[in-house]
Each structure stands twice: as C-alpha cells, then as structure tokens.
C-alpha cells in the first residue's frame, strides 16, 4: 500500500522507530513492535543508519518484520550521501522483492567518518532517481525551523519545492516544541506552491539525556513554557515522563484542531510513549 493514498481519506497516526544496533539481536525489537502494532498505526517508519550494505542493513529487516509479521505498513528511511547508484539499486531491489512500497528519501547528515559519494548530493536527487527507477511512494523530510545548513528561508523552500517536484508525495517534519513553527511551515509551503500533505513530527521529551542530545543535534528551540516544565521536573524520572507526555499531547491536540493531515510520533522505541498519546486522542483522531 502506498502511504500517499491515505491522505484525503483520513487523518493518519504513524510511529517512528529505530532498528536494534548491529551487535544486538534482531528479535530484541519484537516486544516493542508487538505493542506498537496493536495500536494500529497507519504506518511505522524505520530509521536508517548510513554506512552499511543492503544485505546487512537492519532497517530493511525490521521493515520486513513490521509488514510480514504484524501486517502494518512500513516506511523505510534511506539516506543517499554515502551511496552510489548501484548500492541504492541493491537496496531498492530488496525492498521491491519484500513488497515494501514506501521510502522516506533523505540526504543524511554529513559525517567525517563516512566518505561521501558523488551520485546523490541532495534528497531531491534520490527522490527523482527512486521515482524514475521504481514504483515507490517517496516521502521527504522538512524542517519547521529550517535545516541547520540553510542560508535562509527562501532558499530552504525553493529546495523543498524541488524535492516535491522530483516526486516527494508526503513530507514529514523534524521535531519541534512550538506549534507556531509548524503552522508557519504549512503556510510557507502553500506560498511556495507545495501542495502535498505535511505531517508534523512530535517527540515527547521524557528524559534528561534526550534533552541535551536534542539541543546539540537538531537545533529545535525550546519555548519558555516548555523550558520551565523541563527544568522543574528533569531530576524526577516519573514526573518528567508525565510532564513531557502532557506537553506533547497538548501539541498534538492543537495540531489536530488546526487541521493537520496526520501526526508522526517519534516513539524512541518506547511503547509507553505511543500508548499515552493514543489514549489521549482516542476520541479525537
Ligand atoms: P536535503 O533535502 O537534501 O536538504 C539538506 C540541506 O540542503 C538543506 O539545507 C536544503 O535546503 C539544502 N538543499 C537541498 N537541495 C539543494 C540544492 N539543490 N542545492 C543546494 N542546497 C540544497 N538521518 C539519518 O541518517 N537517518 C534517518 O533515518 C533519518 N530520518 C529522518 C527523518 C525525518 C522525518 C527527518 C526530518 C530527518 C531525518 N534524518 C535522518 C536527518 C536527515 O538526514 C538530515 O536532517 C540531513 O542533514 C538532511 O536530510 P534531507 O533529506 O532533509 O536533505
């Protein structure tokens, strides 16, 4: 099933997970998948760590499990900066043979330890290639507070439009804690002539280590109200869980009330996170 076909018919709820590390057993993810899939999400996306070959890639293995064992639609994340056309062909050949139809096409972050190749410089190059070479539904990433490498917002939206023109049918956003950034992103998409569904990515903050990682990695800004809550509860694990989940739930309800096409939840492989959000919106979505 192609994810893009869902939009217009319903408001989607989807989860993001990451595969077990290379040296951990694949079956470690089973208990998590079992609970997540019982919540009947519209799809589950599986992140992709660059640097491996198609045959040893855990993302594909987990996506296969989601589809074959739990009968939920998977979306496979695929980065391109460190892969050649032939390597991407190998990934997509396996995806097709497993009946996986949906790819979140990404450039990937620059990493000095992983050499870059020349075939794909931007996510739009990968998107165009996937659309030309296979019958995939291609999704793309977008950034409510702009991508950290962008010089300005005008350039950011010009490149986003290129990605959509290349074939991205759904956009999923980077996490954010102030919904005004997302509403502005939707507005700017309309101005730029981008008319595909734009799905907000929500990450509940439930532990202190996660907060520090987020500040350094994605540059999302923390509104005063959010910062106050985090500061107050960060040293008490259970209290921070309650506070972080309530904040995320209020974001989700505000977005749904604003008419968003779906919610994509960064679950961090924690079914309790997904469970709390599902419970909170069970009569809404
Ligand atoms: P692009 O769309 O290529 O954009 C990157 C930068 O280049 C932007 O500043 C853009 O404006 C600029 N740009 C784009 N096109 C052009 C052009 N033609 N000329 C000049 N500049 C241009 N990373 C992983 O490694 N694995 C994952 O599984 C993963 N999942 C993600 C899921 C989501 C929903 C999001 C939002 C991000 C994810 N990332 C993942 C992170 C992502 O790989 C990084 O943010 C990366 O730095 C950019 O990827 P992109 O696909 O947005 O790149």
């Amino acid at each position: 099933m192609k994810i893009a076909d869902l939009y217009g018919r319903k408001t989607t709820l989807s989860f993001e997970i990451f595969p077990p590390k290379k040296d951990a057993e694949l079956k470690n993810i089973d208990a998590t998948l079992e609970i997540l899939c019982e919540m009947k999400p519209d799809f589950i996306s599986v992140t992709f760590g660059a640097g491996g070959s198609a045959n040893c890639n855990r993302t594909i293995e987990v996506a296969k499990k989601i589809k074959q064992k739990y009968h939920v639609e998977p979306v496979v994340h695929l980065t391109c900066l460190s892969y050649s056309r032939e390597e991407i062909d190998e990934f997509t050949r396996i995806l097709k043979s497993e009946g996986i139809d949906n790819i979140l096409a990404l450039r990937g972050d620059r990493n000095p330890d992983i050499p870059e190749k020349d075939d794909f410089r931007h996510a739009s190059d990968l998107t165009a290639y996937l659309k030309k070479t296979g019958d995939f539904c291609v999704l793309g990433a977008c950034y409510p507070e702009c991508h950290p490498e962008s010089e300005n917002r005008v350039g950011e939206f010009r490149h986003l439009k290129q990605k959509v023109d290349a074939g991205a049918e759904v956009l999923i956003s980077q996490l954010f804690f102030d919904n005004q950034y997302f509403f502005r992103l939707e507005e700017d998409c309309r101005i730029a002539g981008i008319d595909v569904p734009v799905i907000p990515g929500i990450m509940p903050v439930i532990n202190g280590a996660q907060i520090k990682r987020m500040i350094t990695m994605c540059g999302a800004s923390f509104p005063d109200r959010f910062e106050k809550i985090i500061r107050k509860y960060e040293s008490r694990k259970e209290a921070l869980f309650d506070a972080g989940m309530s904040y995320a739930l209020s974001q989700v309800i505000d977005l749904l009330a604003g008419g968003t096409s779906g919610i994509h939840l960064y679950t961090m492989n924690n079914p309790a996170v997904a469970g709390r959000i599902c419970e909170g919106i069970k009569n809404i979505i």
Side-chain angles (χ1 to χ4, degrees):
M1 195 242 316
K2 300 212 167 114
I3 296 305
D5 294 340
L6 293 171
Y7 295 97
R9 286 201 264 138
K10 65 178 306 198
T11 305
T12 58
L13 176 65
S14 53
F15 301 152
E16 179 177 301
I17 60 162
F18 51 85
K21 291 206 167 71
K22 278 198 184 94
D23 46 4
E25 288 199 55
L26 191 64
K27 67 174 170 17
N28 289 357
I29 194 95
D30 284 3
T32 302
L33 286 182
E34 189 109 33
I35 307 174
L36 289 179
C37 291
E38 264 171 27
M39 295 177 214
K40 301 201 182 324
D42 292 293
F43 62 90
I44 297 183
S45 80
V46 190
T47 64
F48 181 94
S53 70
N55 287 326
C56 70
N57 194 279
R58 284 267 156 120
T59 303
I60 298 179
E61 290 303 313
V62 174
K64 264 167 62 179
K65 241 181 215 275
I66 293 171
K67 186 161 180 102
Q68 289 163 10
K69 188 165 175 195
Y70 299 102
H71 310 294
V72 170
E73 209 55 44
V75 171
V76 162
H77 296 208
L78 180 59
T79 66
C80 60
L81 210 48
S82 57
Y83 293 104
S84 64
R85 271 197 204 99
E86 292 70 29
E87 287 167 309
I88 294 293
D89 288 343
E90 180 59 7
F91 278 107
T92 55
R93 190 191 59 70
I94 298 175
L95 294 182
K96 265 293 151 205
S97 70
E98 299 297 342
I100 295 171
D101 291 325
N102 303 286
I103 302 178
L104 175 54
L106 299 150
R107 187 198 71 179
D109 281 326
R110 299 193 187 287
N111 180 342
D113 299 328
I114 303 179
E116 294 179 11
K117 295 187 178 160
D118 288 330
D119 286 348
F120 306 99
R121 303 309 301 161
H122 308 289
S124 52
D125 301 331
L126 177 63
T127 301
Y129 188 71
L130 293 172
K131 292 306 282 186
K132 195 174 83 180
T133 55
D135 182 25
F136 291 104
C137 169
V138 181
L139 298 84
C142 62
Y143 300 83
E145 297 182 65
C146 279
H147 186 271
E149 289 170 36
S150 279
E151 277 173 21
N152 58 55
R153 210 165 164 89
V154 174
E156 171 101 355
F157 280 81
R158 200 174 58 241
H159 298 138
L160 192 58
K161 174 85 165 77
Q162 279 171 3
K163 187 152 49 179
V164 170
D165 289 346
E169 292 158 84
V170 176
L171 297 174
I172 299 187
S173 92
Q174 181 60 285
L175 59 91
F176 57 92
F177 300 105
D178 182 342
N179 286 359
Q180 290 316 312
Y181 286 111
F182 183 80
F183 292 130
R184 190 172 162 215
L185 168 78
E186 284 188 313
E187 181 64 23
D188 288 345
C189 280
R190 268 195 294 276
I191 293 168
I194 295 168
D195 58 2
V196 298
V198 183
I199 311 303
I202 296 295
M203 182 183 276
V205 169
I206 55 163
N207 68 58
Q210 186 196 0
I211 300 169
K212 292 192 190 86
R213 209 170 47 240
M214 271 175 333
I215 297 174
T216 48
M217 278 175 65
C218 78
S221 48
F222 283 17
D224 291 346
R225 185 171 79 91
F226 180 64
E227 220 173 317
K228 205 166 121 197
I229 293 171
I230 296 300
R231 224 179 298 124
K232 174 93 179 163
Y233 299 112
E234 67 182 326
S235 58
R236 290 168 50 207
K237 200 169 159 233
E238 286 83 9
L240 181 60
F241 185 84
D242 279 354
M245 289 307 309
S246 295
Y247 188 89
L249 191 55
S250 71
Q251 273 192 282
V252 166
I253 292 171
D254 182 44
L255 289 159
L256 290 170
T260 183
S261 308
I263 297 289
H264 187 66
L265 197 62
Y266 295 107
T267 69
M268 301 154 288
N269 292 18
N270 184 341
V273 164
R276 187 75 81 97
I277 298 286
C278 284
E279 175 62 22
I281 58 172
K282 67 173 188 285
N283 298 311
I284 296 180
I285 199 164

